[in-house]
């Protein structure tokens, strides 16, 4: 065996390069000294130092070439085995190998005598090492005895053999497993927090059909701060929200939860989309200036057939018409939340009956290998052919964009359909409106109009009378406190009756406790007591709208 060819590869050994002139010139006494424990012999200044002699720090020791391969391998603390021939027969195992795996009989093929090599996935490498003459390594494999080893198989030049060296990495493997367990628990905590902060069940407005999907990133990806929400605003209007906190882990999920809660609170004020985004911008900076978030807040009004939206650095809304044409909303109307110093504005995109809108986070369309605009274009192509219920469309988009359980980022998708109703279904949705012209004489005309419309809609007498009373109070309030133009609107869906009065004054009414002697101030209290819900909001033209709803008997 030509040990000098491969001994330098043994972990834990180091060959000291030194010129070797003539071994015969070293006195026999000095060679004998190397094998004794006597007093150091006096140096021979004329004799050249032999190669490999331990001369550092003046420490005596045997020359490397004076040791046999068996002596060197036997002294190694790591398990070592020598295998010979095409069937890899055991030629030698050192003491460390026997201590780790037990004695192994020489001359027996490794496949029979060394089952631990099979458990460590080493046996298939032996033939490869012999054929290629290239070392092979398997890292951190666990044995049935409980230890973990990294095993290197090195060919022995000219000897048709393989040196098997096993490094015990049990402590390292256990530390890595503890780290993985900790990361897994941290991820599970973040996912649980994330899901608990998301809506457990989406609100389903009368005029829209909605589905959403949230999918956390794969096991190697930390959970992000993606979220979406649906908020019914009253009077048939619906707020749609989607956002993404630019961070990972529990902190991002916590910030997301605070923003989502704030959005719902601001939505109850029934503010225009850009004002909601403006408030969120300030709040995001107060929560954590280092956490940047993107968000789209959109409002759908069934009477207008469009989405009014404001976007803080978020990806554009996509809308698919009934014929398959896909429209893309304009670029974001402002920078991400938390940046400050920006006045946000609102934009609009049509959402007619039969159309489908998609709001999504960047995890759906962003890929490392392509520009994000290409991802948005791919989503638009997938949406153009996606038909079916909102959940079916949602699932198809996820599949079409190649999002799997091992995706490297969170994904949130919100699909909103404005169905085109026909036949008997269409009979459950009606609108009627009356311009309130003149002075106080508009009140009796409004009551007569409401009576006729509600009768034609075949409401029960009790509900019809409550609707007429609510109409009278809303119109009276507008005539007394509002300014022209004034308009009464009645709307029915399959689930509720909506009565709304608009005027040109932007002072919102509030409910108050009227004194017994007061002749006014009870209108809103009456509305609140007889209606299922009521509210008011400022309209874009500078006026206001006051509305109430009655739930229809099922």
């Amino acid at each position: 065996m030509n040990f000098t060819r491969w001994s330098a590869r043994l972990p834990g050994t180091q060959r000291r390069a030194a010129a070797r002139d003539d071994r015969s010139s070293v006195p026999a006494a000095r060679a004998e000294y190397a094998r004794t424990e006597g007093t150091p012999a006096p140096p021979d200044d004329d004799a050249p130092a032999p190669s490999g002699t331990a001369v550092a720090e003046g420490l005596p020791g045997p020359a490397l070439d004076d040791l046999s391969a068996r002596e060197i391998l036997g002294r190694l603390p790591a398990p070592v085995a020598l295998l010979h021939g095409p069937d890899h027969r055991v030629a030698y195992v050192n003491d460390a190998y026997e201590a780790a795996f037990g004695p192994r009989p020489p001359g027996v093929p490794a496949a029979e005598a060394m089952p631990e090599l099979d458990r460590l996935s080493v046996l298939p490498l032996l033939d490869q090492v012999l054929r290629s003459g290239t070392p092979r390594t398997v890292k951190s494999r666990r044995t049935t005895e409980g230890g973990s080893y990294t095993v290197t198989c090195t060919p022995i030049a000219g000897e048709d053999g393989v040196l098997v060296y096993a490094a015990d990495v049990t402590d390292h493997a256990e530390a890595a497993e503890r780290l993985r367990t900790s990361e897994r628990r941290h991820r599970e905590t973040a996912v649980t927090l994330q899901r608990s902060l998301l809506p457990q069940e989406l609100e389903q407005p009368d005029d829209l059909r909605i589905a959403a999907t949230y999918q956390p990133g794969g096991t190697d990806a930390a959970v992000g701060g993606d979220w979406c929400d649906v908020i019914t605003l009253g009077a048939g209007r619906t707020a749609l929200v989607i956002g993404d906190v630019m961070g990972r882990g529990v902190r991002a999920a916590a910030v997301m939860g605070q923003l989502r809660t704030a959005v719902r609170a601001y939505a109850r004020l029934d503010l225009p989309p850009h004002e909601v985004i403006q408030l969120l911008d300030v709040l995001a900076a107060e929560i954590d200036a280092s956490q940047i978030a993107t968000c789209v807040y959109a409002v759908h009004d069934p009477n207008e057939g469009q989405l009014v939206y404001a976007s803080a650095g978020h990806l554009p809304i996509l809308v698919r018409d009934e014929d398959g044409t896909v429209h893309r909303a304009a670029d974001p109307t402002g920078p991400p939340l938390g940046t400050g110093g920006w006045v946000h504005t609102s934009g609009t995109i049509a959402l007619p009956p039969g159309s489908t809108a998609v709001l999504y986070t960047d995890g759906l369309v962003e890929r490392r290998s392509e520009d994000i605009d290409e991802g948005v274009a791919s989503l638009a192509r997938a949406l153009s052919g996606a038909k079916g219920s909102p959940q079916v469309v949602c699932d198809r988009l996820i599949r079409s964009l190649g999002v799997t359980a091992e995706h490297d980022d969170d994904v949130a998708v919100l699909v909103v359909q404005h169905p085109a109703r026909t036949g008997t279904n269409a009979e459950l949705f009606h609108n009627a409106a009356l311009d309130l012209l003149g002075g106080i004489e508009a009140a009796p005309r409004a009551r007569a109009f409401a009576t006729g419309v509600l009768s034609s809609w075949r409401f029960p007498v009790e509900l019809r009378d409550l609707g007429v009373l609510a109409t009278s109070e809303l119109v009276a309030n507008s005539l007394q406190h509002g300014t022209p133009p004034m308009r009464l609107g009645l709307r029915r869906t399959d689930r509720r009756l909506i009565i709304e009065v608009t005027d040109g004054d932007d002072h919102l009414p509030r409910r108050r406790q009227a004194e017994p002697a007061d002749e006014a101030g009870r209108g809103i209290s009456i509305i609140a007591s007889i209606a299922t819900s009521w509210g008011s909001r400022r309209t874009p033209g500078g006026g206001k709208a006051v509305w109430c709803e009655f739930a229809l008997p099922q």
Side-chain angles (χ1 to χ4, degrees), residues 30 41 190 212 230 289 301 359 364 385:
R30 294 184 60 81
V230 178
D301 190 328
L359 294 78
L364 181 64

Side-chain angles (χ1 to χ4, degrees), residues 188-465:
E188 290 172 354
T189 300
V191 170
T192 301
L193 176 62
Q194 176 87 341
R195 291 194 180 279
S196 67
L197 295 175
L198 291 171
Q200 303 305 304
E201 185 175 352
L202 290 177
E203 298 181 32
Q204 292 292 337
D206 297 357
D207 294 273
L208 301 175
R209 297 293 176 263
I210 298 176
T213 293
Y214 169 74
Q215 181 172 309
T219 54
D220 293 334
V223 175
D226 295 16
W227 94 93
C228 60
D229 207 350
V230 178
I231 309 166
T232 53
L233 302 177
R237 301 165 71 250
T238 306
L240 310 167
V241 192
I242 195 162
D244 184 3
V245 177
M246 302 301 183
R248 292 288 184 269
V250 174
R251 179 58 183 166
V255 173
M256 176 276 292
Q258 295 177 77
L259 291 178
R260 176 177 175 260
T261 301
V263 168
R264 296 192 71 87
Y266 296 149
R268 297 307 175 193
L269 301 176
D270 217 339
L271 299 172
H274 65 274
E275 293 189 23
V276 172
I277 291 295
Q278 202 77 50
L279 292 172
L280 284 176
D281 185 30
V282 175
L283 179 64
E286 293 177 353
I287 293 174
D288 189 344
S290 65
Q291 292 278 4
I292 303 299
T294 64
C295 180
V296 168
Y297 181 87
V299 175
H300 174 259
D301 190 328
N303 296 318
E304 298 175 357
Q306 64 182 9
L307 288 177
V308 181
Y309 69 92
S311 172
H314 204 80
L315 294 167
I317 301 172
L318 299 182
V319 175
R320 176 190 182 274
D321 289 341
E322 196 167 12
D323 62 1
T325 304
V326 176
H327 304 278
R328 174 174 170 169
D331 291 335
T333 58
L337 301 175
T339 55
W342 186 267
V343 178
H344 292 268
T345 57
S346 295
T348 61
I349 185 170
L351 188 69
S355 60
T356 300
V358 176
L359 294 78
Y360 51 96
T361 57
D362 59 0
L364 181 64
V365 297
E366 189 173 30
R367 301 293 181 270
R368 299 182 187 274
S369 59
E370 63 182 24
D371 187 82
I372 195 169
D373 286 336
E374 297 179 14
V376 175
S378 297
L379 176 60
R381 289 191 295 271
L383 178 61
S384 66
K387 298 181 180 180
S389 68
Q391 190 60 58
V392 170
V393 172
C394 202
D395 295 340
R396 288 191 62 180
L397 296 180
I398 291 286
R399 290 194 303 270
S400 298
L401 273 294
V403 177
T404 65
E406 299 303 319
H407 195 57
D408 61 358
D409 195 5
D410 287 22
V411 174
V413 183
L414 183 64
V415 175
V416 181
Q417 288 185 347
H418 185 189
R421 296 180 173 87
T422 57
T424 57
N425 189 32
E427 292 298 318
L428 300 177
F429 292 80
H430 288 288
N431 287 281
L434 174 69
D435 291 327
L436 302 175
L437 304 176
I440 58 174
E441 65 272 13
R445 289 201 303 271
R447 287 193 294 270
F449 175 78
T451 300
V453 170
L454 298 182
S455 297
S456 67
W457 289 349
R458 301 176 183 177
F459 285 153
V461 174
E462 181 181 359
L463 179 59
R464 183 188 63 198
D465 292 344

Side-chain angles (χ1 to χ4, degrees), residues 95-115:
D95 293 340
Y97 195 101
E98 291 186 351
F101 304 110
R104 295 293 179 258
V108 180
E112 301 176 14
M114 309 175 86

